[in-house]
Amino acid sequence: SSASYLFKDYANITHANATIFQTTNSVYMQQIRSYSAADEMQTTDEQAKIDFVRKKVSSRSKDFKFVAYVNDKGIAYFDDGHVEDISKNSFCQALLKKEKNQTYGTPIKFGNTPEYVIPISKAFLKSDTPGYIMIGIPLETYQTKLKNFTKPKTRKNRL
């Protein structure tokens, strides 16, 4: 029936689009690892970590709205120089309590702008030092991908 063809078409399109998101998120996580695995992040010197994130601001991926080092108290040191307490966010608590070593958060407001970002975070790889790296992906990036999803065309009943 045309309903079963339509269902199969939607299932295939959903799978294909989910794969696109999964691949994109894997790329983002690899880019975060370039920060979290860096020698500069495997130290107990908090200022060295802050300085490392801030000196890389000009080479940060254009996909990222920000990169931040978050310490063991949930204080985020952003690469643009501002500092913010994010300790009450659930994704932050999960990482600081070591319940997870990476998270994809729900959209949060970006600073004093009307923009929203999706925070993606990764704990340090080679260190017992608490804290983690967080990036912000503009929500618009994901919304654009969703708008580009194609819908299957309805098929006429085949006999």
Side-chain angles (χ1 to χ4, degrees):
S1 76
S2 73
S4 67
Y5 282 114
L6 190 60
F7 177 79
K8 286 178 186 176
D9 286 348
Y10 270 111
N12 289 335
I13 287 171
T14 300
H15 178 73
N17 289 319
T19 301
I20 290 168
F21 273 99
Q22 184 178 15
T23 302
T24 300
N25 286 338
S26 291
V27 169
Y28 293 153
M29 199 54 72
Q30 287 172 345
Q31 291 172 329
I32 293 173
R33 280 188 201 103
S34 73
Y35 287 84
S36 66
D39 289 342
E40 292 87 343
M41 299 312 247
Q42 311 314 315
T43 176
T44 56
D45 182 351
E46 184 167 85
Q47 191 60 50
K49 292 177 184 182
I50 296 167
D51 292 344
F52 176 72
V53 167
R54 291 185 176 161
K55 81 176 182 183
K56 288 186 59 110
V57 69
S58 61
S59 61
R60 153 179 25 110
S61 169
K62 64 180 174 26
D63 295 331
F64 300 172
K65 195 71 178 171
F66 63 79
V67 174
Y69 155 66
V70 183
N71 71 11
D72 62 341
K73 305 216 180 350
I75 306 300
Y77 297 88
F78 291 84
D79 59 359
D80 68 358
H82 84 276
V83 178
E84 190 176 326
D85 182 348
I86 63 165
S87 61
K88 301 228 184 303
N89 291 329
S90 60
F91 67 87
C92 179
Q93 292 172 6
L95 282 158
L96 293 179
K97 292 177 185 174
K98 300 206 183 260
E99 294 168 357
K100 297 184 176 185
N101 70 355
Q102 64 186 40
T103 62
Y104 297 86
T106 57
I108 58 173
K109 201 159 191 300
F110 177 63
N112 294 326
T113 72
E115 290 182 89
Y116 281 82
V117 296
I118 296 177
I120 303 175
S121 305
K122 176 97 178 108
F124 298 120
L125 297 180
K126 302 179 206 167
S127 176
D128 292 334
T129 305
Y132 60 90
I133 293 294
M134 175 177 67
I135 62 167
I137 304 297
L139 181 58
E140 184 180 335
T141 299
Y142 287 99
Q143 289 171 327
T144 300
K145 286 182 186 296
L146 285 170
K147 286 178 188 172
N148 291 332
F149 282 2
T150 56
K151 295 179 186 172
K153 294 181 172 75
T154 58
R155 298 179 188 200
K156 297 193 178 188
N157 218 352
R158 297 179 185 178
L159 298 177

